[in-house]
Amino acid sequence: LEEPHRAIASTPGVDLVTVLKYALAANRRRVIRDVLLLIYLCIMLLTIFVGFITVPLFLFISWMTILSERYIRFYGQSSRPLRPGEFGTAEPRSPARNSYAARQLARVEEADRAGNVTVYSAFSPFVGYGKVTSSWSFAVDVTSPRHDTPTRGFTVQELYEHVQAGLAELDLPGMEFGQRLFVNGHDIRDDRRFLHTKDGPPVTSVSGDLLASLMADPEERARPYLTISMAGWQGDLVTTTFVRFLLSRTDLFVEAARTAVPPLRPVFKAADEFEMAPADGEFTALLKASFKQAIPLLLHSPSAIVHELRNGSRREAKRRQLSRRPDYGALISIREAAADTTWQRYFQVFDHARYIKVIEQRIFHSLIEFLRSHNVDVSSLVSQAEVLINNGMMITNNGVQITNSTVHADQIAGGPGAKATGWSMPFRGDGGGKTAA
């Protein structure tokens, strides 16, 4: 919300608008708490010369104020809709109409629900979709005929449409697919297709005509992909496959990348464990935590209020920085930032593999069917598809190892400071139980 000039990182399986509404409500409670604490602090400072009797009194009042805010946060009416079985029973309060937060929230909603453009800033273009777990590519000679029948020409848009029609037939609840454009935030400053004004945010969507144009006439810096996302485990696992076709007069080049967003870290599931009222020992723990925070939060209240009042100047500073170092790419994906670094359930590994295999099998089936209908020899494509789809998988204590194919990586990395290492080693699937990771 505080980045009015940067793109929004949309993430499958996450309702960004709802998340931000709850965050804004929590921020309002924090600001009210800090204003009250600042008033108490000022009263104590003004009356300290009269007598110290007011100091313990207002320290006690500060403690009760902090306790009240924490109680409302964990057990109040505002937290009820976050409970399992209760979610969605009440809508979080929206910001005031025509306020800065309301305008930004509208932009987030547009990007999250109707956007088809990802403007990225880091190395990987797939911000919001997790880490790249593996990738593959190959080329098909479209001039090589089946049997002795001459090949028939086709457009890359016809190929995309045929593959999407095949994906629509899959019985995978929760699957979403469509065409998405990826462009680097450093490259759009003078490109009016993606940035209407230099002081404004990048576009969240482009027309179908522009997507079709970039498919038929590829550019190095703006690349459209067929994006197929599958959310499972109530959003705890998000798997995405990105596919791109490049057609020349002689060859069809196919590239794909697989990404995964691991489950949420346990700390972000704490709300699921709270009862509607404090259980045994929980209220005592709440009292102790509030008491420990009383003096630090009381002394911190002036700087907290000043920080809140300087929102406008911080946005102006970001605007000036943008003119010096233009980068409109999304800075963060909240879902990736909250992700764990490993799988949490044995079955999540297999579901991740199942989603990928089922989706890619349908992609290959549609691709082979389409090329055969245009009399293109697909013998090499069939053999490559069998290798890619029929990879074996072995679960070990150290991660996931792929057998009988090219091993790309054995770990999932996500969240702050997460790191995954891996290397690729092609080898023969000779049944000798070889693995590499």
Side-chain angles (χ1 to χ4, degrees), residues 226-245:
L226 177 58
T227 303
I228 310 103
S229 294
M230 183 67 203
W233 292 78
Q234 295 180 318
D236 227 11
L237 167 65
V238 179
T239 296
T240 306
T241 301
F242 300 92
V243 182
R244 181 171 176 244
F245 304 126

Side-chain angles (χ1 to χ4, degrees), residues 4 57 66 175 221 246 306 317 328 361 373 410:
L57 174 62
I66 295 169
M175 185 184 74
R221 299 177 186 272
L246 285 86
V306 170
Y328 298 86
Q361 185 178 52
S373 69
D410 69 333

Side-chain angles (χ1 to χ4, degrees), residues 172-416:
L172 282 178
M175 185 184 74
E176 297 179 354
F177 65 89
Q179 296 170 351
R180 178 165 284 269
L181 183 65
F182 294 86
V183 59
N184 193 290
H186 293 276
D187 300 332
I188 66 173
R189 183 175 177 82
D190 298 313
D191 195 331
R192 292 295 174 264
R193 297 175 300 177
F194 310 119
L195 187 69
H196 296 325
T197 62
K198 292 183 179 180
D199 286 338
V203 299
T204 58
S205 61
V206 295
S207 66
D209 291 340
L210 179 56
L211 280 173
S213 174
L214 290 171
M215 291 173 185
D217 188 14
E219 295 183 10
E220 292 179 338
R221 299 177 186 272
R223 304 197 175 198
Y225 282 83
L226 177 58
T227 303
I228 310 103
S229 294
M230 183 67 203
W233 292 78
Q234 295 180 318
D236 227 11
L237 167 65
V238 179
T239 296
T240 306
T241 301
F242 300 92
V243 182
R244 181 171 176 244
F245 304 126
L246 285 86
L247 181 63
S248 68
R249 185 175 57 82
T250 58
D251 298 281
L252 172 67
F253 180 76
V254 183
E255 65 165 294
R258 305 154 172 168
T259 65
V261 184
L264 290 168
R265 298 201 301 276
V267 66
F268 291 105
K269 300 178 182 178
D272 294 344
E273 301 170 3
F274 287 110
E275 301 293 339
M276 293 312 300
D280 294 341
E282 289 184 349
F283 188 73
T284 302
L286 208 62
L287 284 171
K288 291 179 179 178
S290 303
F291 181 77
K292 290 178 180 179
Q293 288 183 319
I295 293 179
L297 287 178
L298 191 65
L299 297 176
H300 180 68
S301 60
S303 60
I305 297 302
V306 170
H307 179 83
E308 192 69 23
L309 294 174
R310 293 187 66 250
N311 282 341
S313 60
R314 285 199 302 274
R315 294 170 198 145
E316 177 60 22
K318 290 175 182 178
R319 188 193 65 78
R320 291 195 301 268
Q321 182 183 19
L322 191 70
S323 64
R324 296 192 301 271
R325 290 180 295 174
D327 181 5
Y328 298 86
L331 278 177
I332 187 174
S333 159
I334 59 171
R335 178 61 179 85
E336 289 183 56
D340 207 342
T341 57
T342 58
W343 302 112
Q344 294 174 351
R345 301 288 184 91
Y346 179 86
F347 297 121
Q348 289 172 343
V349 182
F350 281 94
D351 285 347
H352 168 63
R354 177 172 69 93
Y355 298 152
I356 287 176
K357 289 178 183 294
V358 170
I359 289 169
E360 291 189 355
Q361 185 178 52
R362 180 52 59 99
I363 291 172
F364 278 115
H365 173 81
S366 299
L367 180 58
I368 292 169
E369 180 183 64
F370 181 86
L371 293 177
R372 279 178 174 166
S373 69
H374 289 78
N375 300 322
V376 176
D377 179 21
V378 294
S379 55
S380 63
L381 174 58
V382 170
S383 61
Q384 292 185 74
E386 289 176 351
V387 171
L388 285 168
I389 293 174
N390 294 322
N391 286 333
M393 184 172 64
M394 180 171 67
I395 309 299
T396 70
N397 290 333
N398 297 321
V400 182
Q401 295 180 331
I402 308 299
T403 63
N404 300 331
S405 184
T406 299
V407 175
H408 185 79
D410 69 333
Q411 299 183 52
I412 297 294

Side-chain angles (χ1 to χ4, degrees), residues 16-37:
L16 286 178
V17 174
T18 300
V19 172
L20 284 170
K21 283 183 178 180
Y22 277 106
L24 285 168
N27 190 63
R28 283 192 293 269
R29 291 197 302 270
R30 181 188 61 78
V31 170
I32 293 171
R33 180 203 68 191
D34 289 338
V35 168
L36 292 174
L37 291 177

